[in-house]
Amino acid sequence: MPTMLFKKKKKTQKNQPVSNQSHCCYCSMQCSLQLVPSDKHESGLVVKPSPDFPVATGRLCQKGLNSLDHVVHPSRIKEPLVRVDQDRNNKWSNTSWNTAFDQISDKIKELQTTYGKDAVSVFGGGSLTNEVSYLLGKFTRVALQSKYIDYNGRYCMSSAAAAGNKAFGVDRGLTLPLSELENAKYIILAGTNIAECQPTMMPYLMAAKKKGAVIVTIDPRNTKTSKLADIHVRLQPGFDAMFVNSLLNVIVNEKLYDEKFIKDRTNGFSELVETVQPFTPDYVEEMTGILAPKIRTIARGFAKAKTGIVFTARGLEQQVNGVENTLNYINLCLTTGKIGKPGSGFGAVTGQANGQGGREHGQKADQLPGYRMLENESARAHVSKVWGISPDELPKSGVSAFELFEKINAGDIKAMIVLGSNPIVSSPNNAVVEQAFKKLELLVVVDLFETETAEYADWLLPGSSFLEAEGTLTNLEGRVFHRGKVLDTPNENLLDYEIICELAERLGRGQYFQYESIEDVFNELAKASAGGKADYSGITYKRLKEEKGLFWPCPDPEHPGTPKMFTKEFYHEDGKAKIFAIKPEKPAEPIDSEYPYILTTGRLGNHYLSGAQTRRTENLNKKSPIPVAEIHPWLAKKVGLIPNQKMKITSRRGSLEFHVKITEGIQPKTIFVPFHWGKELAINQLTNDALAPISRMPEFKICAVKVKAIK
Ligand SMILES: Nc1nc2c(c(=O)[nH]1)N[C@H]1C(S)=C(S)[C@@H](COP(=O)(O)OP(=O)(O)OC[C@H]3O[C@@H](n4cnc5c(=O)[nH]c(N)nc54)[C@H](O)[C@@H]3O)O[C@H]1N2
Ligand SMILES: Nc1nc2c(c(=O)[nH]1)N[C@H]1C(S)=C(S)[C@@H](COP(=O)(O)OP(=O)(O)OC[C@H]3O[C@@H](n4cnc5c(=O)[nH]c(N)nc54)[C@H](O)[C@@H]3O)O[C@H]1N2
Ligand code: SF4
Ligand SMILES: [Mo]
């Protein structure tokens, strides 16, 4: 057997942190935390906020405060596991790393010899560091020589990314640092539930409000975020584009737009003027129930305010029309000149810990590091030079996350490596994923736990947690920062990046994966990104540590970084932004007489994504132990549902039963169910797998359902 590239780690003294500074593993705020000794927790440690980072200094939400729990959970996978029974009855056998690497690489070679290089695919995640995201992309293209890689961020930021690229020529979630929020006089929050999803951002909004900002929320539900709002628009899912057209109609017809900004800095305004004409406030009131005077108040308020910000998130982006919805919200900023100026800007609020950096460096089916495009000849030349291969060796673009499962079902892909995702819980219409997993000849999962996805795996390798792996991440503002190692991996296991490099070695491509440390990987990433839109080439670990993070683009060692985008130019060739006139389209599955209600899905404050981590965190799980469907009293009455009764929800893909919360705070025809649970509680059994044409984002936020009270 070959010897391993990486040795088992020397263990530091048990439970003695090597440093005590880290960052929370959950959302894109990336609050800093410290581990301090305590006898309150059986690990001997407890999480406290840390003053070490300028974003949410001294603040942590419930998830951050409890983020150590899953790391030290007894169900952590501590050794490589191999499936021993063909029927997948959850029988695993422990094995050594050496055997695991040997057998996995042999199987990959066998499959690739029989079916070709593209028979093996990779599915990554947005919690992973920049270095691991980068390596997954490089591993797929250089070690596997396959075109098939994509990641869970496809389900997350892809519509926002496509809209940013179309309008601005670049995709950076927030175009301005959070510190500018307090100078905004008008803030529109559309389809974003910040109070539950980025809780430590709330003080920024409260500070703005204290200084006189008007806050508007647009959501089918009254949320914790909408409590802060001066105006709440409770719209039916799927009507954002039409609603925004009514705002633009007022802005155009009352001449509230910024003529000079439009002329000097944008293209496309005249087409928008034409397109929004039919969408008068009265017409849109008739179509949506949103009162015309309210529409006029918001349009005038935003346009006339000296400064203003629009934030969107998954509410309107996770739709087949998600790109167009986002573009229309961007139009509010472009027509009123509220971007690139102090206290003004647009932001698509990034979701995952490294949701920003994770989408920049090559995990995406069509991208190379630094936001370079895989199909672009000069991009291929640049990156292949850094990697020491010939550009002809680089595969072309693959397919999006959900389409990977369709390719498996079509027989084109035979193997998958999943690292940093739990796609059977988080993919739409997840029967398609189950079918795919059963069909695979090889499924390797690298995770902390035996997740619902891992239950289908042939191999389950222990992954490293956020406290164990050093690296860099990029927060929702585009701020790159360094996260140090705090704890050893259990059982002195390998780190995620070492697993990737070792596998490359066994596949005979080890010469391209020779790194002394994770810092080496970063330095190569920085080179590969040089000259790209997300340029990290002026960033080093030393600078990140000394300067407490740097905003990209940062193209040379003297460059101070770019906290604020578009102050002078947008990224299109002529330096201008593009205004896209949006004609509202229907969702993929409109309601009808058989399925008369809308199912929308989303998040709770106490759980995170597929729940793999937070369902293993007692303090969080006990507060939200099961999913509860939210419905309006009108709908409860209509279906004869009384309090404490369960409800059956049926879509064209199946039926599930849920406990119910009857609440005035939801649009009457809409039902909301959180998606943090697996198996018979997984709402993704019912969601629609229709994909947005450009971004390939699934329509998580809208599908047609019928409901029945369970007697
Ligand atoms: N607690 C917690 N925090 C998280 C996460 C988590 O799982 N739990 N996940 C992280 C990640 S990866 C992400 S992507 C973000 C997501 O953050 P958000 O996008 O803010 O979260 P969601 O709950 O998916 O959706 C936001 C809101 O959209 C509304 N909505 C539904 N349909 C529509 C519509 O048609 N139009 C409009 N305007 N609104 C609509 C929903 O009612 C919901 O309140 O959160 C991050 N933070
Ligand atoms: N119905 C519905 N479905 C949705 C959404 C929705 O709003 N509605 N939202 C979508 C969105 S925005 C997102 S982002 C996706 C996310 O969906 P998933 O990708 O399934 O999300 P996670 O639960 O974060 O999965 C991460 C997995 O990686 C493991 N993990 C965490 N950190 C590490 C690490 O450092 N190393 C390794 N090896 N493993 C690690 C965790 O234990 C977990 O099993 O869900 C999407 N699905
Ligand atoms: S706001 Fe986000 S990053 Fe901060 S502690 Fe909460 S989950 Fe973690
Ligand atoms: Mo996300």
Side-chain angles (χ1 to χ4, degrees), residues 47-58:
V47 173
K48 290 261 159 75
S50 153
D52 207 34
F53 192 57
V55 182
T57 312

Side-chain angles (χ1 to χ4, degrees), residues 650-666:
T650 304
S651 79
R652 288 189 173 83
R653 290 151 294 278
S655 296
L656 289 175
E657 292 178 7
F658 289 101
H659 289 275
V660 177
K661 178 177 158 197
I662 301 174
T663 164
E664 297 274 350
I666 186 161

Side-chain angles (χ1 to χ4, degrees), residues 512-530:
Y512 303 107
F513 294 83
Q514 298 293 326
Y515 305 103
E516 292 286 312
S517 67
I518 198 73
E519 185 170 355
D520 270 3
V521 181
F522 182 84
N523 293 338
E524 188 185 282
L525 176 163
K527 258 194 231 152
S529 77

Side-chain angles (χ1 to χ4, degrees), residues 486-538:
V486 179
L487 297 177
D488 292 319
T489 49
N491 213 5
E492 299 96 61
N493 273 322
L494 298 187
L495 300 166
D496 289 342
Y497 99 90
E498 294 171 326
I499 297 174
I500 299 168
C501 294
E502 185 70 46
L503 210 45
E505 170 79 11
R506 305 295 173 114
L507 293 167
R509 305 287 280 177
Q511 81 246 45
Y512 303 107
F513 294 83
Q514 298 293 326
Y515 305 103
E516 292 286 312
S517 67
I518 198 73
E519 185 170 355
D520 270 3
V521 181
F522 182 84
N523 293 338
E524 188 185 282
L525 176 163
K527 258 194 231 152
S529 77
K533 284 177 180 168
D535 192 332
Y536 283 36
S537 58

Side-chain angles (χ1 to χ4, degrees), residues 383-630:
V383 176
S384 55
K385 192 161 169 226
V386 176
W387 288 352
I389 59 168
S390 145
D392 309 334
E393 285 181 72
L394 269 181
K396 293 278 170 79
S397 299
V399 298
S400 76
F402 189 75
E403 290 166 297
L404 287 174
F405 301 115
E406 294 177 328
K407 286 266 174 210
I408 297 169
N409 288 331
D412 298 339
I413 295 176
K414 306 288 181 187
M416 182 177 259
I417 301 170
V418 179
L419 197 155
S421 183
N422 189 6
I424 195 145
V425 177
S426 53
S427 302
N429 186 15
N430 69 3
V432 174
V433 180
E434 182 177 26
Q435 191 192 347
F437 282 164
K438 285 183 171 161
K439 195 161 179 186
L440 280 174
E441 292 189 34
L442 173 69
L443 175 60
V444 181
V445 172
V446 186
D447 205 297
L448 315 178
F449 306 106
E450 187 188 357
T451 59
E452 291 80 0
T453 294
E455 287 184 27
Y456 294 86
D458 303 289
W459 289 89
L460 174 51
L461 306 181
S464 42
S465 82
F466 75 111
L467 291 172
E468 296 148 10
E470 183 186 10
T472 64
L473 296 93
T474 306
N475 83 344
L476 76 174
E477 304 169 284
R479 187 193 303 255
V480 188
F481 64 92
H482 175 264
R483 185 187 75 192
K485 171 186 164 168
V486 179
L487 297 177
D488 292 319
T489 49
N491 213 5
E492 299 96 61
N493 273 322
L494 298 187
L495 300 166
D496 289 342
Y497 99 90
E498 294 171 326
I499 297 174
I500 299 168
C501 294
E502 185 70 46
L503 210 45
E505 170 79 11
R506 305 295 173 114
L507 293 167
R509 305 287 280 177
Q511 81 246 45
Y512 303 107
F513 294 83
Q514 298 293 326
Y515 305 103
E516 292 286 312
S517 67
I518 198 73
E519 185 170 355
D520 270 3
V521 181
F522 182 84
N523 293 338
E524 188 185 282
L525 176 163
K527 258 194 231 152
S529 77
K533 284 177 180 168
D535 192 332
Y536 283 36
S537 58
I539 303 178
T540 57
Y541 270 28
K542 184 163 176 282
R543 280 193 76 185
L544 289 180
K545 287 177 194 168
E546 283 170 7
E547 299 173 48
K548 308 247 172 206
L550 278 162
F551 288 79
W552 69 259
C554 181
D556 64 68
E558 270 71 54
H559 195 285
T562 315
K564 176 99 183 176
M565 302 287 273
F566 316 136
T567 49
K568 294 196 179 70
E569 286 193 317
F570 293 93
Y571 276 53
H572 289 302
E573 235 156 60
D574 61 1
K576 291 187 177 184
K578 284 193 191 147
I579 289 173
F580 285 82
I582 302 301
K583 294 198 177 96
E585 300 282 348
K586 287 202 169 117
E589 201 178 66
I591 52 176
D592 56 24
S593 54
E594 199 187 344
Y595 294 95
Y597 309 114
I598 301 154
L599 170 70
T600 194
T601 61
R603 290 152 173 82
L604 302 175
N606 288 321
H607 278 294
Y608 188 71
L609 299 178
S610 77
Q613 291 152 284
T614 50
R615 281 185 276 125
R616 291 177 173 88
T617 303
E618 201 194 335
N619 278 341
L620 299 173
N621 201 47
K622 71 181 180 204
K623 287 186 196 148
S624 303
I626 48 162
V628 175
E630 293 176 20

